């Protein structure tokens, strides 16, 4: 039986997290909100607790986990890091970014899939951060979806995937970003982006100088040849086909392709932008407006929610792309990886 509690991120008492913290200390599992997506947490230093995560998700156990801590000072307990790097990391934490560093022996192989490195994140979400403080443990927490599904960003989705698979689920109001954290590998000489996310490359370059952005970051390389460990597996995808229409310089070209794809199929939903609403209406398309096309943060908040919503009620999702800029890189990475057809 899973205990489900609802909390208010901006108005809660420490008391409300006592039971959750106790469960984690006793090597149980707790799903909790973060500023990116919901996380499925367990004691990251205990192999039995970590196994429970893989079981609950149905995830292959060589896929490494992120260890979550509440403050920078705890980083050197689990990884090797020098002062100059710590100063740079400090600028971005707490927040929606994960750093890969050389691990210390205290971190079990079960958490890293046998790697010499460990991924570490300090979430800023008040519930996540307070819970981490109370447990005083590095908490391993992948996104709280069943393996293969898009990460959950809403209470109904987290409950759908994790009810009766974990000891406790904590839900809260809308999460700030809605896509997973940026993953930056700092274990080599050149900082390398392994997963694009809310903290964009431009910001990382400002702080770390020159960084490497491998091609797969854009989501264009198919999963089996990608380099980052988690990217071996198909991620984020609804069960129904997702057809991505990339943003075109000429909007008329884009409209033609949308119509072409729409007419080929039945029971499709078009996920698009206010700027195109007249066109959707005129052509009698079944559509939902995500936001304006340049409102990237609004798009990221709704993306996984909409993919999951229409997975249940439509037969196809036709979605328009945005530019590979800022958080748009992270958004497009997720959409491309979820897509069956890209035009
Ligand atoms: O926003 C997030 O990061 C969420 C919340 C819950 O914090 N967590 C999350 O975890 O997305 P997960 O397990 O779904 O994704 C972790 C990513 C994977 O792509 C994995 O391959 C990568 O981090 N990763 C973890 N450890 C790594 C390591 N040692 N080396 C390289 N990549 C690593
Ligand atoms: Mg995940």
């Amino acid at each position: 039986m899973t205990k489900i509690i609802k909390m208010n991120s901006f108005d809660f008492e420490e008391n409300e997290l006592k039971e959750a913290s106790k469960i984690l200390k006793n090597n149980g599992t707790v799903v909790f909100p973060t500023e990116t997506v919901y996380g499925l947490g367990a004691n990251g230093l205990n192999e039995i607790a970590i196994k429970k995560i893989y079981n609950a998700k149905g995830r292959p156990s060589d896929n490494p986990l992120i260890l979550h801590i509440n403050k920078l000072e705890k980083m050197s307990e689990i990884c090797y890091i020098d002062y100059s790097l710590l100063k740079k990391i400090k600028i971005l934490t707490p927040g929606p970014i994960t750093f890969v560093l050389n691990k210390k022996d205290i971190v079990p192989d079960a958490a890293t899939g046998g790697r010499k490195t460990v991924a570490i994140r300090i979430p800023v979400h008040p519930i996540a951060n307070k819970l981490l403080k109370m447990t005083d443990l590095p908490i391993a927490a992948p996104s709280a979806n069943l393996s293969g599904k898009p990460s959950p960003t809403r209470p109904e989705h987290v409950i759908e995937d994790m009810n009766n698979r974990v000891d406790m689920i904590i839900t809260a109001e809308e999460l700030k970003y809605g896509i997973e954290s940026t993953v930056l590998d700092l274990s080599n000489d050149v900082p390398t982006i392994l997963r694009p996310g809310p903290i964009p490359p431009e910001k990382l370059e400002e702080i770390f100088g020159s960084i490497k952005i491998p091609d797969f970051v854009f989501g264009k390389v198919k999963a089996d040849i990608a380099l980052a460990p988690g990217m071996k597996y198909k991620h984020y995808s609804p069960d129904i086909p997702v057809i991505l229409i990339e943003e075109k310089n000429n909007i008329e070209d884009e409209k033609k392709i949308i119509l072409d794809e729409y007419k080929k199929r039945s029971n499709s939903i078009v996920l698009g932008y206010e700027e195109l609403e007249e066109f959707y209406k005129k052509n009698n398309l079944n559509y939902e407006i995500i936001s304006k096309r340049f409102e990237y943060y609004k798009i990221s908040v709704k993306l996984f929610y909409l993919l999951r919503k229409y997975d249940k009620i439509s037969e196809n999702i036709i979605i328009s792309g945005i530019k590979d800029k800022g958080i748009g890189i992270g958004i497009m990475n997720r959409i491309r990886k979820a897509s069956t057809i890209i035009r």
Side-chain angles (χ1 to χ4, degrees), residues 34 36-40 57 59 63-66 68 98 100 111-112 115 117-119 121 141-145 151 179-181 183 185 194-195 228-231 235:
T34 82
T36 55
V37 301
Y38 280 87
L40 160 49
K57 277 184 72 87
R59 176 182 201 165
N63 200 344
L65 303 172
I66 298 173
H68 296 68
T98 296
V100 173
T112 65
R115 283 170 190 73
T117 53
V118 59
R121 175 156 119 76
S143 48
N145 50 291
S151 298
I179 62 169
E180 307 86 349
S181 63
V183 178
D185 188 350
L194 297 181
R195 179 174 71 185
M231 300 190 173
H235 263 168

Side-chain angles (χ1 to χ4, degrees), residues 50-224:
I50 292 167
K51 274 215 181 92
K52 290 181 185 169
I53 292 180
Y54 290 117
N55 280 341
K57 277 184 72 87
R59 176 182 201 165
S61 61
D62 64 337
N63 200 344
L65 303 172
I66 298 173
L67 295 193
H68 296 68
I69 53 178
N70 74 303
K71 57 178 183 183
L72 202 63
E73 289 72 16
K74 290 185 183 162
M75 229 163 155
S76 59
E77 291 171 19
I78 49 178
C79 72
Y80 294 95
I81 181 156
D82 62 42
Y83 183 66
S84 71
L85 211 48
L86 212 53
K87 268 198 333 208
K88 291 177 181 168
I89 290 176
K90 190 171 182 193
I91 303 170
L92 295 167
T93 55
I97 181 157
T98 296
F99 302 98
V100 173
L101 289 148
N102 289 316
K103 82 174 189 79
K104 288 198 168 160
D105 284 345
I106 186 176
V107 179
D109 282 344
T112 65
R115 283 170 190 73
K116 291 202 159 51
T117 53
V118 59
I120 306 171
R121 175 156 119 76
I122 308 173
V124 69
H125 192 287
I127 293 175
N129 201 279
K130 177 65 84 179
L131 183 59
L132 292 167
K133 181 173 181 213
M134 289 167 73
T135 58
D136 196 26
L137 283 168
I139 297 296
S143 48
N145 50 291
L146 287 174
S147 194
K149 294 237 182 201
S151 298
T153 54
R154 301 275 173 115
E156 66 269 29
H157 293 151
V158 95
I159 291 168
E160 179 180 291
D161 279 15
M162 288 298 148
N163 195 18
N164 291 327
R165 292 183 156 260
V166 294
D167 297 314
M168 182 182 257
I169 296 175
I170 303 169
T171 67
E173 53 288 284
E174 193 167 88
L175 312 181
K176 186 166 176 196
Y177 297 105
I179 62 169
E180 307 86 349
S181 63
T182 302
V183 178
L184 184 68
D185 188 350
L186 295 173
S187 69
N188 292 308
D189 292 344
V190 186
T192 304
I193 297 185
L194 297 181
R195 179 174 71 185
I199 305 290
E202 298 89 307
K203 182 81 199 161
L204 298 175
E205 268 160 2
E206 251 172 53
I207 297 167
F208 294 94
S210 148
I211 58 168
K212 203 153 105 190
I213 313 176
D215 284 345
F216 66 75
V217 161
F218 296 94
K220 288 175 180 164
V221 182
K222 273 301 168 194
D224 50 341

